[in-house]
Amino acid sequence: MSVALNELKDYVGWESGGQARAESTVLLHVTHSNLQARMFEIRLDRHMSVGTVKEKLRTHTGTGSVFAHLTLLDENQQVVADLCDDSLMLGYFSPLDGYTLHITDLDPHSLSAGGGLEDVNLVKKYEISEEDYLKREDNFRAWKEAKKRQDPSWSFAKEIKERQDAQRKKADPSFVPEPWKEVETSEESYKELAERIKVGDRCEVTLGGKRGEVRYVGKIPAIAAGWWVGVQYDEPVGKNDGSITSKLGRTSRFFECPPNYGGFLRPDKLLVGDYPERDIFDEEEEDE
């Protein structure tokens, strides 16, 4: 092993004192012949017998001590020793931090064989017939139909908004929630408003008074159907740099601006006109 690699190993393995550790403690990784999962830094004591180690590892892997064969591997996965004698102490084999104990499961009927402890496809799923499902008084369909009878315009999104509004109202009695609006699904929604806005217009957001310049007018399917307006704010109060990343991880750029200066709004959320950039020094003088 090179000097640099040894130095790196010493640095990574340096004890900070953040966790109490006996001198006889060793941190070993554990692998298993039937499992893909790899367990890192299992704390073992060098004074433990091989039989005791097997019993402790049984709680991690499910392999009984009678059927477990242990092999000690170094950091390069080279065999150091086969731990065949259950009466010997673990320290007899001189294990070091970072070594690996590999368990070979000799049980022909082991629960872990063939992915029995990891492959969820092997787990029998609970199934219920359509008839039995409808007989249940607390089924989801009945609950949804009851909601629809109370409010024909009910939806999950509306339910969540009402609950969030109630929480905000409880925290702030003066809070006035915005009226519920259905999610726009038409590709031409907000078209008439958008046609009155053009790139280069100065604008002000109606809620909050943020100002900036219109940099994009058009559709953005990655957000939602309909027309949108891209704004570069005068200050870093935005959420992006003029680009949008879809749920599939694809990024689409609509205009260029510094990070946190860009934003996309519906055309009814802003006004265009004579909205010059504010001078923060003028505002400070007015406050005085």
Side-chain angles (χ1 to χ4, degrees), residues 32-35 61 63 105 107-119 122:
H32 192 281
S33 59
N34 293 342
L35 301 176
T61 65
T63 300
D105 192 334
D107 185 357
H109 306 293
S110 175
L111 292 176
S112 62
L117 296 181
E118 293 181 314
D119 189 352
L122 300 177

Side-chain angles (χ1 to χ4, degrees), residues 19-68:
Q19 184 176 11
R21 177 179 171 182
E23 292 184 2
S24 59
T25 299
V26 63
L27 303 179
L28 301 181
H29 310 315
V30 176
T31 57
H32 192 281
S33 59
N34 293 342
L35 301 176
Q36 294 182 5
R38 178 184 174 92
M39 288 151 275
F40 293 93
E41 295 191 343
I42 302 298
R43 297 169 69 90
L44 299 171
D45 194 287
R46 291 183 173 87
H47 296 148
M48 297 170 67
S49 68
V50 172
T52 304
V53 171
K54 289 181 179 181
E55 188 60 27
K56 179 172 182 176
L57 296 181
R58 180 184 63 81
T59 63
H60 292 275
T61 65
T63 300
S65 58
V66 175
F67 299 101

Side-chain angles (χ1 to χ4, degrees), residues 143-154 158-159:
W143 175 79
K144 183 177 180 180
E145 290 172 0
K147 288 287 187 179
K148 285 287 188 180
R149 285 195 297 270
Q150 295 174 4
D151 179 7
S153 65
W154 178 89
K158 185 176 182 181
E159 175 93 5

Side-chain angles (χ1 to χ4, degrees), residues 248-268:
L248 298 176
R250 299 173 182 172
T251 300
S252 301
R253 178 165 298 283
F254 297 89
F255 62 90
E256 296 275 356
C257 75
N260 299 322
Y261 275 80
F264 296 94
L265 306 92
R266 289 296 194 182
D268 64 337

Side-chain angles (χ1 to χ4, degrees), residues 5 24-25 50 87 92 105-106 149 164 168 184 192 223 225 244 252 276 287:
L5 192 57
S24 59
T25 299
V50 172
S87 64
Y92 175 83
D105 192 334
L106 303 176
R149 285 195 297 270
Q164 291 175 338
R168 293 186 64 180
E184 293 289 345
E192 292 185 6
I223 302 180
I244 291 291
S252 301
D287 293 340

